[in-house]
Amino acid sequence: MNKLLEQKPEISRKDIEDMIQKKKEKIGAGYLTDQGALFLIASDLGVSLSEPLKVEMGLKDLYVGAKEITLETRVMNVYPARQFSRKDGTQFLLRNMTVYDGDSRAKVKLWDEKANLPGIENLKPGDLVKIIKAYVKSDMKGNPIINVGSGSTVEPNNMQSKIPNLDAITDNVSNVKENQQNLVVSGILDGNIRTTEFTNFKGEPSKALQLRLKGNDGTIIRAVLWNKDENSVPKVVSSGAKARLIGVNTKMGQMGLELHGDEGTVLEIEGAKEIEPMAVRILSDTKSESGSRLLVATSQDKKLVNIVDASSITSDLHAGDVIELLPSKIYGNSVTIEQSSSVKKIDDQKIPTLSDVRTKIRDVKPSDGIYCIEAIILKAPQKREVQTKTGESILLSETFVEDDTGQIWLKGWRVQARLLEQFTQGEIISVTGVTAKPGLEGRTEMFLTAYSVVTKKN
């Protein structure tokens, strides 16, 4: 518009605006943008607009082959920049982003020096940006991908916008469906957060962060964030904390619908606080398959916790000892001790003993809590092989026990199945570090964990 006014000063801005409307009416609805009409009007007036057309569009209007496009969007997530090699051996940088507006979501690729634009790493989910002079290519599935190359840029946009903020596009995990992409999902953390390590299809060591979210209707969905670990999680996460995953897809897994993310996925957790020293009494100790020391302990308020000590800081301590520790991480009832943690033995008679924290069988409820029980074996433990949906054959051992308030099944899978093989009918056992879950026909059953210790009492 300014270029045309410079070359045709005898025409007012309002005259040109009227021409634009008439041109669009003449051509017909759905064919011209204001910018396109302006180019045709300039041609009618004998004026050449040498600069390329800068098309402003929404994400829903993207098409493969579009060039010089300008978009106003909000950031969903920003990935780390990575270095790759071309066929000729030269190196190049690439950074991916996901953006959204009121209608759609799209991937953005930032090439070479654009991968490290000033401030790009400081962009947060929900930030408003303007993508300028970008071009559109397709991905492997034919979907349009916005590309930011040498003639393009991304700028923060501090203007007011009608694009919804992040809260407005956040959906509860109860509402997710199969084959959805680039979701923002909220829920309540259900259980502990853990990192698993494995070898990927390239033979490289990899890791994944796993957690579960509970929805408003009680639906529980497993989430797997590939190439992320516990470094992306606050050091203290309270049990039942609110959480949000930004940039995840839905996928059917072995146990039903799952959420899958990657290193670009943002995990937000509410309710985190600074780590404070805690005093606990050790109730039992065992070792994991990797050699880490696993403890079950109780605090003064009879809250039971699982403690993993991968650095053998507690090697000189035993069941019954009271310790004061400053852990490195706390996730609900799971406590992690690392080399940077501090542990010292103290004398505090206020901390309950094992007999003080045992639960009667009638009071055992399905939950993520930790239980300690004392019961007599009514049915000798039996072992059998169980085949999973994937065809894997795993060991299950189960026994039926009771105390003076009721009976319950006690079961152990895989390695934990061996914990029961030494016991027989009529023996009284003390079991620390078990969980309770709904079993067959909805009845509550108890399950041994890696922290469990079973000892004979008579």
Side-chain angles (χ1 to χ4, degrees):
M1 177 76 82
N2 291 336
K3 188 88 170 177
L4 183 54
L5 288 171
E6 286 175 10
Q7 298 185 54
K8 289 289 182 179
E10 69 275 14
I11 301 176
S12 70
R13 180 178 289 270
K14 186 177 187 311
D15 290 336
I16 297 176
E17 289 173 349
D18 290 341
M19 291 179 189
I20 288 173
Q21 293 307 314
K22 290 177 181 178
K23 180 67 73 174
K24 290 174 70 177
E25 291 170 4
K26 182 178 179 181
I27 297 296
Y31 290 96
L32 274 182
T33 63
D34 287 354
Q35 294 95 327
L38 185 62
F39 262 65
L40 296 180
I41 292 165
S43 179
D44 293 343
L45 297 173
V47 175
S48 174
L49 299 181
S50 56
E51 293 184 3
L53 180 63
K54 298 172 184 174
V55 183
E56 292 214 19
M57 59 170 64
L59 296 179
K60 67 179 176 59
D61 302 316
L62 289 177
Y63 60 92
V64 176
K67 297 179 180 179
E68 300 285 336
I69 64 167
T70 296
L71 303 122
E72 181 187 90
T73 66
R74 288 192 189 273
V75 174
M76 180 172 287
N77 51 24
V78 180
Y79 287 74
R82 288 185 172 181
Q83 191 171 52
F84 297 91
S85 298
R86 298 184 177 90
K87 290 182 179 179
D88 62 3
T90 57
Q91 305 288 308
F92 68 93
L93 283 175
L94 176 63
R95 184 192 297 274
N96 291 326
M97 290 174 53
T98 308
V99 296
Y100 73 94
D101 60 16
D103 300 299
S104 304
R105 289 145 203 208
K107 293 291 185 183
V108 181
K109 291 184 179 293
L110 298 99
W111 298 91
D112 292 316
E113 73 275 6
K114 302 301 179 181
N116 288 320
L117 283 169
I120 197 75
E121 290 185 330
N122 297 325
L123 290 175
K124 302 183 298 297
D127 282 355
L128 196 65
V129 295
K130 197 161 192 176
I131 301 172
I132 301 170
K133 289 189 177 181
Y135 59 96
V136 182
K137 287 190 171 183
S138 65
D139 64 9
M140 299 289 288
K141 297 180 180 179
N143 300 314
I145 302 293
I146 302 167
N147 288 262
V148 177
S150 58
S152 317
T153 193
V154 178
E155 297 178 353
N157 188 354
N158 298 319
M159 304 294 288
Q160 292 292 322
S161 174
K162 294 181 180 179
I163 299 176
N165 60 26
L166 208 62
D167 290 340
I169 67 167
T170 300
D171 202 0
N172 188 264
V173 71
S174 294
N175 301 324
V176 301
K177 299 176 177 62
E178 191 176 353
N179 296 325
Q180 290 182 298
Q181 308 290 315
N182 300 318
L183 296 177
V184 182
V185 178
S186 66
I188 301 296
L189 278 178
D190 182 71
N192 294 324
I193 305 170
R194 62 190 180 94
T195 298
T196 55
E197 297 182 355
F198 60 95
T199 302
N200 65 18
F201 68 96
K202 297 180 180 178
E204 302 167 337
S206 298
K207 53 197 173 185
L209 192 68
Q210 299 191 34
L211 56 113
R212 298 194 308 269
L213 288 183
K214 180 186 289 186
N216 291 334
D217 63 358
T219 299
I220 297 175
I221 293 186
R222 175 174 174 258
V224 183
L225 308 182
W226 304 100
N227 299 320
K228 290 184 82 73
D229 58 24
E230 293 173 347
N231 290 326
S232 58
V233 180
K235 289 185 178 296
V236 180
V237 177
S238 57
S239 185
K242 294 180 181 179
R244 178 162 69 175
L245 292 171
I246 303 171
V248 290
N249 306 325
T250 57
K251 180 180 178 181
M252 289 303 296
Q254 294 179 4
M255 306 299 290
L257 194 62
E258 297 178 343
L259 297 170
H260 284 236
D262 53 27
E263 65 268 31
T265 301
V266 178
L267 171 60
E268 295 179 346
I269 300 178
E270 294 182 4
K273 58 184 183 296
E274 292 297 321
I275 292 180
E276 297 179 354
M278 56 191 302
V280 297
R281 184 185 298 277
I282 299 173
L283 302 179
S284 65
D285 70 277
T286 185
K287 283 198 173 183
S288 69
E289 292 183 75
S290 63
S292 297
R293 197 168 192 224
L294 305 179
L295 311 175
V296 177
T298 180
S299 58
Q300 184 173 342
D301 60 1
K302 296 186 179 181
K303 178 184 176 183
L304 297 181
V305 293
N306 288 329
I307 303 175
V308 56
D309 174 13
S311 302
S312 299
I313 295 177
T314 63
S315 58
D316 295 332
L317 300 170
H318 308 284
D321 289 343
V322 177
I323 58 174
E324 183 180 82
L325 71 154
L326 185 66
S328 58
K329 297 171 187 173
I330 303 175
Y331 299 151
N333 56 30
S334 180
V335 176
T336 301
I337 297 176
E338 296 175 341
Q339 199 62 48
S340 58
S341 306
S342 64
V343 177
K344 65 178 180 180
K345 186 176 178 180
I346 61 173
D347 183 15
D348 189 340
Q349 301 302 319
K350 296 178 182 178
I351 307 296
T353 63
L354 177 57
S355 60
D356 297 323
V357 297
R358 286 198 180 104
T359 300
K360 289 293 186 178
I361 288 176
R362 69 182 174 195
D363 299 322
V364 172
K365 308 294 182 187
S367 70
D368 283 304
I370 305 165
Y371 290 103
C372 299
I373 66 166
E374 188 172 285
I376 187 171
I377 297 175
L378 296 182
K379 182 179 175 62
Q382 293 184 337
K383 289 191 297 184
R384 56 191 171 96
E385 295 286 335
V386 177
Q387 195 163 23
T388 66
K389 293 180 180 179
T390 61
E392 180 188 10
S393 185
I394 57 177
L395 185 64
L396 169 65
S397 181
E398 54 190 357
T399 183
F400 197 56
V401 300
E402 78 161 8
D403 62 14
D404 57 351
T405 66
Q407 300 90 31
I408 198 167
W409 281 98
L410 176 63
K411 299 183 177 183
W413 294 94
R414 295 186 171 88
V415 175
Q416 279 70 52
R418 303 191 187 107
L419 296 179
L420 297 175
E421 61 188 9
Q422 60 183 303
F423 300 104
T424 60
Q425 185 179 18
E427 291 183 328
I428 298 173
I429 56 173
S430 172
V431 189
T432 61
V434 288
T435 60
K437 298 178 183 178
L440 297 175
E441 301 176 357
R443 64 173 180 253
T444 302
E445 297 178 345
M446 303 201 78
F447 293 86
L448 299 168
T449 71
Y451 295 83
S452 299
V453 173
V454 185
T455 57
K456 182 179 175 181
K457 293 286 291 183
N458 62 343

